[in-house]
Amino acid sequence: MEPEIYKQCTGIQLSVSGSRPKTSSGPPPTISDQVMVMSCGWYSDGYGIIGDIVQSHILQTIALLAMEPPISLDDEDIRNEKVKVLRSTRKLDPKDVILGQYKAVSGDKVGFHTNNVTPTYFVAALYIDNARWDGVPFLITTGMGLIEHRVEIRIQFHHVPGNLYRERLGHNIDMSTNELILRDVPDEAFLVRINNKIPGLALQLDASELNLLYKDKYKIEVPDSYEHLLLDVIDGDNYLFMRGDELEAAWNILSPVLKEIDKKNISPELYEVGGRGPIGTFYPWEKHGIRWLDD
């Protein structure tokens, strides 16, 4: 995940985590993280995308989004709160993880062979065992060689209990689920999906999107993510960089999966370059009653 999305997450974390999520009815609010990279890279035999993106970018993003308000904006105070989140996160059960690997295609610069288990695609549900996030799945999807390049976080909220407009909404879960979307690529934006009444005398509801698209709102050049990172280095701002205890806590979450990879007990599902990833991608979403809106 690019550093700019970290800043967005930090900016909204107070409002997102302002009330404890309910888990008594309907699917729990889900915070999802998706990274789609179109270009094909190469990993040697090993942990692949887990070590490259999941361990650092994605876990850092989740920590910033789920952390409690720090006592100040000092980088060490922020890092202290991130460590608490990572230490509270359950270790991943390999049975709840979907790994994929894109196929080697003639003519493409793909360096994989079918006899290794290096993952280029990763799907899992994380749980944070603390008072605020108990029972709330953080579903993450990240992959290489896909049809599009997308970096975003989606926060799906509970269905309203005893909804008086249920008959008007029907069984369309897409329409009845409100979402907050933080998008970094393509085009930085904040998006809110809500249900609204269609103008007129009849009572009909529709799903609409409120959006703040940075390029439309602010007629200035948006700095590249690594420009921000280099500036932070110059300024001595360390909150986007992992401290030693953060690094240890992040690897601890992933350790059960990494051990299975080392033993070659996990076989990634193959998928086509330029596609949408392995078919198994959709199983965790279905398990948690979440429908991914691929738009």
Side-chain angles (χ1 to χ4, degrees), residues 168-273:
R168 303 288 179 175
L169 292 172
H171 298 287
N172 188 344
I173 191 171
D174 298 345
M175 185 181 297
S176 58
T177 299
N178 294 327
E179 277 192 309
L180 171 63
I181 304 171
L182 314 178
R183 180 170 296 162
D184 189 39
V185 177
D187 301 326
E188 292 179 278
F190 284 87
L191 311 171
V192 180
R193 280 209 174 94
I194 61 172
N195 299 307
N196 66 282
K197 179 182 178 298
I198 298 175
L201 299 178
L203 181 56
Q204 293 181 317
L205 300 182
D206 185 28
S208 299
E209 185 175 272
L210 309 179
N211 67 75
L212 169 59
L213 196 62
Y214 278 26
K215 69 177 184 180
D216 292 342
K217 175 68 174 179
Y218 305 105
K219 306 299 182 181
I220 58 175
E221 180 181 356
V222 179
D224 180 82
S225 299
Y226 287 98
E227 291 182 56
H228 281 291
L229 203 59
L230 290 172
L231 181 61
D232 288 341
V233 172
I234 295 171
D235 291 341
D237 190 346
N238 296 320
Y239 85 96
L240 291 179
F241 297 88
M242 298 185 74
R243 205 167 57 188
D245 51 353
E246 288 182 72
L247 193 63
E248 181 180 357
W251 282 117
N252 187 57
I253 295 167
L254 300 168
S255 59
V257 178
L258 302 181
K259 289 179 182 178
E260 293 302 300
I261 292 177
D262 287 338
K263 296 176 183 177
K264 298 189 183 299
N265 290 337
I266 296 181
S267 298
E269 181 182 343
L270 296 179
Y271 62 94
E272 297 284 350
V273 172

